[in-house]
Amino acid sequence: MIGCGNISRIYLENQQRFANYKVVAIADLLIERAQERAEEFGIAKAYTTEELLADPAIDLVVNLTIPAVHANIAKQALEHGKHVYGEKPLAVEREDGKEILELAQQKGLYVGNAPDTFLGAGLQTCKKLIEDGWIGTPISATGFMMVPGHERWHPDPAFYYQRGGGPLFDMGPYYITALVALMGPIKRVTGSAQITYPERTITSEPKFGETITVETPTQINSVLDFESGAVCSLVTSFDTWHHHLPNLEIYGTEGSIMVPDPNTFGGPVCVRRKNSQEWSEIPLLHGFADNSRGLGVAEMADAIITKRRSRIDGELAYHVLDIMHGILESSETSRHYQTESRCPRPASLPIGFDETFLKQRKVEE
């Protein structure tokens, strides 16, 4: 694991849940921080990044660095013959994303990427309901991710307001990945984006009172056109104090489905068919309803071991990256953007997929 920031803790807390991989080394730009994490979680080795990449015993690198260096670390890991699973986004720039996929293909290695929340019980239950025809053919959707901004709580929030940050690149991957997983790839996007506040003041510790110069849009309204013909309105914002709108809803020819927050793994999941007078909550059909970050690493490890395509592979992550850039470019050019990328809709997980399934797979292996 490279990167000992805020997100690393949940990955390390969850590592014992998954039987098909083990964290044996951790690295950070600040070696002292890596040593602290290693001691806290009983990890054998605390490394510099260079030492970790050079260790031949390591098969897979989990890249938890800030977005600006995602691509550099991913490419270095691949050059050293290691599979890579990264936090979102895949890269800041499309060109870097393409290079990551091309390098992985050349070397016969896997690339996977967060978010892995769509593998959780909530979204997998939604996927099963849609595939089984509970709402008929999906024809439209809405998504809203609107908050005041991360400077109110994050200990070091400046990178959220640089290129590769903002609400679209920070939280958009959860929503767009969920939509692609549920409804398939997107062929065209349209966007309108703006920077509402050119400066932000940090009100969290330890940098309380410092100001941030905002370099990326913080209010983005977009329309997504799917290959299937469905259309989605998606709003991402760091400029909204309060709202009363759903996270995600999908509307079909036979009814509607309320999708849980795509930044979580659980529910609730609710369906209302066309002639029903009320919404019905559906029991979750899969495991991993709690915070299961690291599930994507386990799914990719299972794909490597069984030599199959991973549900969370780099083509999905690159499609999401292409879509996000396209939304911003549409706003800048006042034109639709036709996506250059495509990916298959990820296969559904088997019902009952949970820790027991992965442990059994390990025993069989």
Side-chain angles (χ1 to χ4, degrees):
M1 185 176 291
I2 300 178
C4 298
N6 204 46
I7 195 67
S8 66
R9 182 173 296 278
I10 188 62
Y11 277 88
L12 292 168
E13 288 175 355
N14 282 341
Q15 65 171 314
Q16 295 182 0
R17 300 178 63 176
F18 305 112
N20 60 358
Y21 73 87
K22 180 180 180 181
V23 180
V24 296
I26 189 164
D28 192 84
L29 190 62
L30 301 175
I31 186 63
E32 298 83 6
R33 190 156 61 173
Q35 290 168 343
E36 289 174 5
R37 281 283 195 264
E39 183 176 352
E40 181 180 0
F41 289 97
I43 298 167
K45 301 171 183 176
Y47 276 154
T48 66
T49 298
E50 293 73 22
E51 289 171 337
L52 187 146
L53 293 173
D55 188 338
I58 294 171
D59 302 309
L60 187 154
V61 169
V62 177
N63 180 7
L64 303 183
T65 57
I66 62 172
V69 294
H70 280 182
N72 184 40
I73 295 296
K75 286 186 276 190
Q76 286 188 59
L78 292 167
E79 289 286 7
H80 281 82
K82 304 181 190 309
H83 307 287
V84 180
Y85 177 93
E87 255 302 320
K88 47 76 187 172
L90 175 66
V92 172
E93 306 298 342
R94 282 196 194 95
E95 294 73 17
D96 286 323
K98 286 181 182 177
E99 288 178 13
I100 291 169
L101 298 189
E102 290 169 358
L103 186 57
Q105 185 175 28
Q106 290 170 14
K107 293 188 170 288
L109 296 167
Y110 280 67
V111 170
N113 219 76
D116 55 358
T117 47
F118 79 93
L119 298 173
L123 289 170
Q124 285 296 309
T125 297
C126 292
K127 198 169 189 300
K128 174 68 172 168
L129 293 172
I130 292 170
E131 289 173 351
D132 286 355
W134 280 57
I135 64 167
T137 301
I139 54 176
S140 68
T142 55
F144 299 94
M145 196 304 298
M146 303 191 297
V147 297
H150 293 351
E151 70 275 15
R152 300 167 68 242
W153 62 270
H154 197 280
D156 191 16
F159 73 91
Y160 286 110
Y161 297 97
Q162 300 167 359
R163 182 172 173 82
L168 182 59
F169 273 70
D170 174 43
M171 296 299 292
Y174 295 106
Y175 286 72
I176 298 170
T177 301
L179 286 164
V180 173
L182 295 174
M183 300 171 66
I186 292 165
K187 66 179 182 180
R188 187 179 75 169
V189 301
T190 310
S192 183
Q194 68 177 20
I195 295 174
T196 304
Y197 307 107
E199 283 192 347
R200 301 267 181 156
T201 301
I202 299 174
T203 57
S204 60
E205 296 293 349
K207 298 189 175 184
F208 182 91
E210 294 184 18
T211 59
I212 301 168
T213 299
V214 179
E215 301 173 357
T216 191
T218 53
Q219 178 70 43
I220 304 102
N221 294 44
S222 60
V223 176
L224 316 177
D225 296 316
F226 292 80
E227 280 193 346
S228 66
V231 179
C232 175
S233 297
L234 176 65
V235 179
T236 59
S237 172
F238 281 171
D239 301 334
T240 305
W241 285 106
H242 310 288
H243 69 88
H244 196 260
L245 293 163
N247 293 297
L248 273 179
E249 290 185 349
I250 298 175
Y251 315 108
T253 55
E254 302 295 322
S256 303
I257 186 167
M258 294 172 58
V259 179
D261 183 350
N263 189 22
T264 65
F265 288 80
V269 174
C270 296
V271 168
R272 185 170 176 179
R273 291 173 64 79
K274 60 183 180 181
N275 294 319
S276 175
Q277 299 302 306
E278 58 186 21
W279 293 90
S280 298
E281 185 169 348
I282 306 298
L284 302 183
L285 305 175
H286 298 73
F288 302 106
D290 59 341
N291 189 343
S292 303
R293 278 174 171 79
L295 174 57
V297 183
E299 198 285 333
M300 192 173 87
D302 185 69
I304 294 168
I305 292 166
T306 58
K307 297 179 174 59
R308 62 167 174 81
R309 185 187 185 106
S310 172
R311 294 173 174 85
I312 202 157
D313 72 3
E315 283 191 16
L316 172 60
Y318 181 77
H319 187 49
V320 172
L321 179 65
D322 183 30
I323 289 163
M324 294 189 298
H325 273 293
I327 290 168
L328 297 183
E329 289 170 8
S330 171
S331 180
E332 293 168 1
T333 62
S334 300
R335 296 184 178 186
H336 294 301
Y337 171 74
Q338 304 286 339
T339 57
E340 65 175 37
S341 61
R342 289 293 185 276
C343 69
R345 185 168 61 171
S348 297
L349 289 172
I351 291 177
F353 185 90
D354 57 14
E355 285 98 332
T356 303
F357 180 93
L358 290 172
K359 288 174 182 175
Q360 181 62 34
R361 176 86 85 183
K362 184 66 176 176
V363 168
E364 292 171 354
E365 195 57 32

